[in-house]
Amino acid sequence: MSGAPALLGAIRAGLLCRCPNCGRGPLFAGFLSVKPVCEACGFDLKSADTGDGPAVFVILIAGFIACFGMVFHEVAARPPWWVLLLTWPLVGLIACLALLRPTKSLLIALQFHNKAGVGRLQGPNG
Ligand SMILES: [Zn+2]
C-alpha cells in the first residue's frame, strides 16, 4: 500500500489504538505502555517511541478546550467562581486522559507510516 489509502489506514489504526503494521492487534499493554510485540502479526513494537509528543499535543488541545469553555461559561452564564473552579479543571483532566492514548497511538502509527527513524548527524563530507 502507498499514498492516501495507506495514510488513512495508519490514521485508522492509530485512532483505534491498534498495531501500526497490521491494524488488528492491540497496541497497548497498560494505559500507555506499548506492547513489545504485536499479538496478531508479531511485529516488533519495541522501537516505537513518541517521547513527549503526545503529551504536548494533548496539553495544548485539552488546555484550549478547558480554557475556552471556562471563558465561554463565564461570559454566557456568569456562574459563581467556585463552579468554574470545580468544573473546568475537571473537564481539562478528563480531556487529557481521554486524548492521551489515541494521540500516542496515532503518533506511533504515523511514525511507522513515514518510516521515521533515529536522527543521524552527517559530517562535512556527507
Ligand atoms: Zn500487528
Side-chain angles (χ1 to χ4, degrees), residues 106-121:
L106 179 62
L107 289 183
I108 289 173
L110 291 176
Q111 283 180 343
F112 177 76
H113 174 75
N114 292 309
K115 299 175 179 53
V118 177
R120 299 188 200 291
L121 295 175

Side-chain angles (χ1 to χ4, degrees), residues 14 17 27-28 31-34 48-51 53-55 57-58 99-111:
C17 300
L27 182 64
F28 294 110
F31 183 65
L32 287 176
S33 55
V34 177
D49 182 18
T50 56
F57 283 116
V58 166
L99 291 173
L100 204 46
R101 255 172 85 103
T103 303
K104 182 172 183 173
S105 178
L106 179 62
L107 289 183
I108 289 173
L110 291 176
Q111 283 180 343

Side-chain angles (χ1 to χ4, degrees), residues 18-26 37-45:
R18 299 289 178 186
C19 167
N21 188 44
C22 66
R24 292 175 310 184
V37 175
C38 174
E39 292 175 357
C41 68
F43 183 68
D44 182 16
L45 295 167

Side-chain angles (χ1 to χ4, degrees), residues 42-69:
F43 183 68
D44 182 16
L45 295 167
K46 287 186 286 243
S47 63
D49 182 18
T50 56
D52 295 333
V56 170
F57 283 116
V58 166
I59 286 170
L60 292 173
I61 294 168
F64 175 78
I65 291 169
C67 290
F68 182 77

Side-chain angles (χ1 to χ4, degrees), residues 6-22:
L7 177 61
L8 291 177
I11 291 172
R12 182 176 185 276
L15 292 176
L16 294 175
C17 300
R18 299 289 178 186
C19 167
N21 188 44
C22 66

